[in-house]
Amino acid sequence: MLKKLLVVLLCSGLSYTYADTIKTDVLVIGGSASGTAAALQCARSKVKTILVEPGPWLGGEMTSGGMCVVDANRNLPSGIWGEFRKKVREFYMKTPGFDTTRNAVLRFEPYTGAAILRKMTDTVKNLTLKLNTPWTTVKKNGTGWEVTITEKGKTNTIKAQVLIDATGTGDVAAKAGVSFITGFDSRKDTGEQLAPENALPVIQDITWCAILKDYGRAADKTIAKPEGYDPAQYDCLKGKDLLKMVQGGKLPNDKYMIKWSECANSYKASVDLLDPKNREQYYKETRLRVLGLIYYLQTVGGLKNFSVTDEFGTPDGLPPIPYMREYRRAKGQIRMVLDDILTPYNRSSKLYRTSIAVGDASPGQHFVDKRGPQTPYPPFPAYSIPLGTVVLPDAENLLVTEKALSTTHLVNASAFYPSVQMVLGQGAGTVAAYCAFFKTTTKHLNVRTIQGEVLDFKGYLMPFSDVPLTDPNFRAIQQVGATGLLKGVQQVNGKTAAVLFKPDSLVLTAEVEPVIKEIYTRAFLWFNKAKPAEQFTVGNLLSFISEITLTEPKVLNSTLEKQWQANYKFKQAFDLNRPITRREFAVLTNKYLNPFARTVDLSGKLVN
């Protein structure tokens, strides 16, 4: 007996002895849409990266949550999101019925989406992927972090210079002691006119999606009656065309996404229910309700040929995680409020100047809880997400994405969408890579250097949907737009508003004069002398360039006259007296004056 005990103790000791300590530059926890994009970006920026995901798939709610009909950011195919979208479209290009329109809603099978993301990570150097790997503890280690993981039955420690919490629940940041805000913010707290007068402890519903397959009219795929099934729970569906509703979530290969509200498969959520100690039981109960919905469709609805698939590998055929719209938001260096979207240029802070991502998702409002008011959002414009929303003031070198992003409740209602999060994840990855590459911390960030890296990897800073990545002047227009010299113009279309650059429109002196004077100290002297008219001319810009760069005017004019169409491919002829277009202004200003080089802080203020 004693001998056996010694053997057990010896084996236990050996197991502990051989536990590994793994060092990396960046550790991303959570293979969500944002986490996958963040890890890809870090690795492509040539820093050593590890991505840890407790489940078997990448993509988070977009794949493992079955939320695979993605309608946001169709006109803003920024960076990794645009790459993923393109690969999905190419995969299904020859599938009958698949919509190949340039900006069509993206629809895919969850397994396929996860497989495409996995292939994207497999082809990148500097990235180590650890699937089916739970994490347990998080602690600070100097300016870096230590995280323990369970890998193949063994507890290992990862030491990272930078840590990204890309979990949908913000659990990593919570373990690290980060402060959070939940529910509706009050109008007094945020200054948002559409916020309620008093804060409300209400968060948006979760939806447990289901992916059903049509097995043919003759098939009977009725599942076993779920525990606790009560058809009265689905009374809101009485009298509705259930087949039509199912077909509204059409996916390729005779599959359908069920993501309904009311009494169907959306459920009241709360901070308490989503707390880790209650989460498993809450998920179990809501899964049973979804199975009850499927049983209802098959029996009461007569759709016995529609049933779950085996692609998720779960015992009940449902996605392993729900689609969560909201939980807790970290108190970041910057909190993004609704006016940063609706009127970004009219605020004392100029957060658009610090953008690392763009979004255009219409805000969702899903509340089984009747205390949740329906906010009367105006037509919702595309927007930029500022860098400071992923940075935590009291947790150096820890970045947040997903629902932990530092926004108000009213902003989160748009920012939580998977396509927006994928764009954000790339931006957060760029921030992490900057800290790792330059051996610095989130307290010493260079906004313009980080933004330059985003642009290097085909990301958007400004949500200009009329200047695509293929435009030869895309980067110049993005950089000048990020200074505020030329502002985006909102074009309302129903409940949304595209943000346009309008490259062929003319430049107004009143628009550019304040920002020119803010950036260039000698500008007021030039304006007093030149006195440009209402419309800024080609001659005005060349004169100002000459003034700032100390270039002899005749030499500059002669050079540009030769290059005007040969090099720059401008449509209109060279004419000093002609009003200048926004495209011409952006390209020449970016080339000769480089306003983007002016340093800004996390509030967008110019730093001398």
Side-chain angles (χ1 to χ4, degrees):
M1 182 70 178
L2 181 59
K3 185 176 180 181
K4 288 182 179 179
L5 180 60
L6 288 173
V7 170
V8 169
L9 291 173
L10 181 60
C11 289
S12 299
L14 288 172
S15 176
Y16 179 80
T17 301
Y18 288 115
D20 293 328
T21 297
I22 307 163
K23 293 185 177 181
T24 188
D25 295 319
V26 178
L27 170 61
V28 181
I29 300 183
S32 56
S34 64
T36 305
L40 282 166
Q41 183 56 54
C42 287
R44 289 173 178 178
S45 292
K46 300 180 180 179
V47 298
K48 189 176 179 182
T49 307
I50 295 176
L51 173 56
V52 168
E53 163 55 38
W57 283 8
L58 295 176
E61 293 160 10
M62 193 169 63
T63 56
S64 296
M67 221 305 283
C68 50
V69 177
V70 186
D71 61 353
N73 279 36
R74 285 179 282 160
N75 296 308
L76 299 171
S78 178
I80 292 170
W81 155 245
E83 180 183 347
F84 171 73
R85 178 182 170 83
K86 181 180 178 182
K87 289 181 182 297
V88 170
R89 286 161 55 83
E90 288 173 347
F91 181 86
Y92 288 113
M93 191 65 71
K94 296 181 180 179
T95 301
F98 187 78
D99 192 344
T100 57
T101 308
R102 181 184 67 83
N103 65 340
V105 173
L106 192 66
R107 300 170 185 267
F108 54 91
E109 296 159 281
Y111 178 85
T112 299
I116 287 172
L117 291 173
R118 175 64 186 268
K119 188 172 182 179
M120 288 170 67
T121 60
D122 286 345
T123 57
V124 179
K125 294 180 180 179
N126 303 310
L127 176 57
T128 300
L129 176 61
K130 294 181 181 291
L131 296 175
N132 300 303
T133 305
W135 60 276
T136 50
T137 65
V138 178
K139 70 176 183 178
K140 202 81 176 74
N141 178 16
T143 58
W145 294 88
E146 286 187 14
V147 176
T148 55
I149 61 173
T150 303
E151 191 173 15
K152 297 179 181 179
K154 185 171 64 173
T155 299
N156 295 328
T157 299
I158 299 177
K159 292 185 177 181
Q161 187 178 342
V162 187
L163 176 62
I164 299 179
D165 180 350
T167 63
T169 51
D171 287 348
V172 177
K175 280 273 183 84
V178 170
S179 299
F180 289 91
I181 301 170
T182 60
F184 279 81
D185 313 272
S186 71
R187 189 179 311 154
K188 181 179 179 181
D189 181 30
T190 67
E192 298 169 313
Q193 292 305 304
L194 295 181
E197 184 175 351
N198 298 310
L200 293 171
V202 179
I203 67 174
Q204 291 207 56
D205 305 339
I206 68 163
T207 297
W208 209 294
C209 297
I211 305 299
L212 303 185
K213 181 177 175 65
D214 182 357
Y215 290 92
R217 290 186 180 183
D220 184 350
K221 292 288 186 176
T222 305
I223 63 174
K225 181 191 288 189
E227 177 187 340
Y229 171 72
D230 179 1
Q233 292 179 319
Y234 311 99
D235 279 349
C236 72
L237 298 176
K238 283 185 176 180
K240 295 188 176 181
D241 188 336
L242 297 179
L243 177 59
K244 185 177 180 180
M245 289 178 65
V246 169
Q247 291 172 337
K250 184 173 177 54
L251 304 174
N253 298 319
D254 298 318
K255 294 180 182 177
Y256 301 86
M257 181 187 75
I258 308 300
K259 184 178 78 72
W260 299 344
S261 55
E262 298 182 74
C263 68
N265 55 336
S266 291
Y267 311 108
K268 176 182 176 180
S270 70
V271 173
D272 186 55
L273 287 170
L274 291 171
D275 187 281
K277 67 177 181 293
N278 302 321
R279 195 180 297 162
E280 185 177 351
Q281 180 61 30
Y282 174 54
Y283 283 1
K284 179 182 178 181
E285 293 170 359
T286 49
R287 289 178 80 93
L288 283 171
R289 285 283 302 276
V290 184
L291 291 173
L293 170 64
I294 295 171
Y295 188 74
Y296 179 91
L297 293 176
Q298 293 170 328
T299 54
V300 178
L303 303 179
K304 62 183 181 180
N305 52 308
F306 288 86
S307 193
V308 294
T309 71
D310 60 0
E311 64 187 291
F312 293 110
T314 54
D316 56 13
L318 296 180
I321 61 173
Y323 178 44
M324 184 188 302
R325 298 174 175 88
E326 184 178 11
Y327 181 18
R328 48 189 174 187
R329 305 181 298 280
K331 292 183 178 180
Q333 188 73 45
I334 294 291
R335 177 162 63 163
M336 187 179 177
V337 302
L338 193 57
D339 285 343
D340 293 318
I341 294 176
L342 302 179
T343 57
Y345 302 111
N346 299 339
R347 296 174 52 73
S348 56
S349 62
K350 305 296 180 185
L351 297 184
Y352 67 88
R353 288 177 172 172
T354 72
S355 172
I356 56 170
V358 294
D360 69 358
S362 297
Q365 299 188 76
H366 302 267
F367 300 102
V368 173
D369 190 329
K370 299 305 180 184
R371 294 177 298 167
Q374 291 296 304
T375 303
Y377 287 99
F380 206 77
Y383 55 89
S384 297
I385 301 178
L387 190 159
T389 57
V390 303
V391 177
L392 304 173
D394 301 322
E396 200 172 18
N397 278 13
L398 172 59
L399 305 174
V400 291
T401 62
E402 296 291 322
K403 289 76 184 176
L405 185 69
S406 181
T407 70
T408 61
H409 163 86
L410 295 179
V411 171
N412 172 77
S414 170
F416 74 80
Y417 280 90
S419 51
V420 178
Q421 281 294 320
M422 186 169 280
V423 179
L424 173 68
Q426 181 171 3
T430 309
V431 177
Y434 174 87
C435 292
F437 184 83
F438 289 104
K439 308 298 181 186
T440 188
T441 74
T442 48
K443 294 186 181 297
H444 303 94
L445 299 174
N446 185 304
V447 175
R448 293 307 193 205
T449 300
I450 291 166
Q451 290 177 317
E453 188 80 347
V454 172
L455 290 171
D456 284 347
F457 287 90
K458 300 182 180 180
Y460 283 58
L461 303 178
M462 309 304 295
F464 301 147
S465 56
D466 59 341
V467 183
L469 278 162
T470 53
D471 190 298
N473 304 131
F474 173 82
R475 183 165 187 139
I477 289 170
Q478 286 283 314
Q479 291 188 168
V480 170
T483 68
L485 265 171
L486 295 175
K487 300 171 177 62
V489 179
Q490 295 182 14
Q491 185 177 74
V492 175
N493 181 18
K495 295 182 179 180
T496 63
V499 173
L500 307 178
F501 180 72
K502 295 195 169 184
D504 296 325
S505 297
L506 303 180
V507 175
L508 301 178
T509 299
E511 178 181 9
V512 298
E513 182 175 353
V515 184
I516 287 177
K517 287 181 175 179
E518 182 185 8
I519 296 174
Y520 304 101
T521 55
R522 302 204 314 273
F524 76 97
L525 295 173
W526 180 87
F527 275 97
N528 288 339
K529 180 176 63 176
K531 294 182 171 52
E534 180 182 358
Q535 293 179 334
F536 216 68
T537 66
V538 174
N540 289 149
L541 181 58
L542 268 57
S543 171
F544 184 71
I545 290 172
S546 176
E547 174 79 16
I548 298 301
T549 63
L550 304 178
T551 305
E552 210 286 317
K554 288 184 179 180
V555 173
L556 179 64
N557 292 355
S558 175
T559 299
L560 282 174
E561 184 173 13
K562 294 174 183 176
Q563 297 177 343
W564 197 257
Q565 290 176 324
N567 289 30
Y568 294 108
K569 310 296 183 185
F570 292 142
K571 295 178 182 178
Q572 299 189 47
F574 180 83
D575 181 353
L576 293 175
N577 298 315
R578 174 176 60 78
I580 194 166
T581 67
R582 287 163 67 89
R583 179 186 294 276
E584 293 164 347
F585 185 95
V587 171
L588 296 177
T589 299
N590 191 67
K591 169 73 173 178
Y592 287 94
L593 299 176
N594 194 15
F596 188 73
R598 278 299 306 273
T599 302
V600 296
D601 63 19
L602 291 185
S603 71
K605 180 181 178 181
L606 295 177
V607 178
N608 294 322

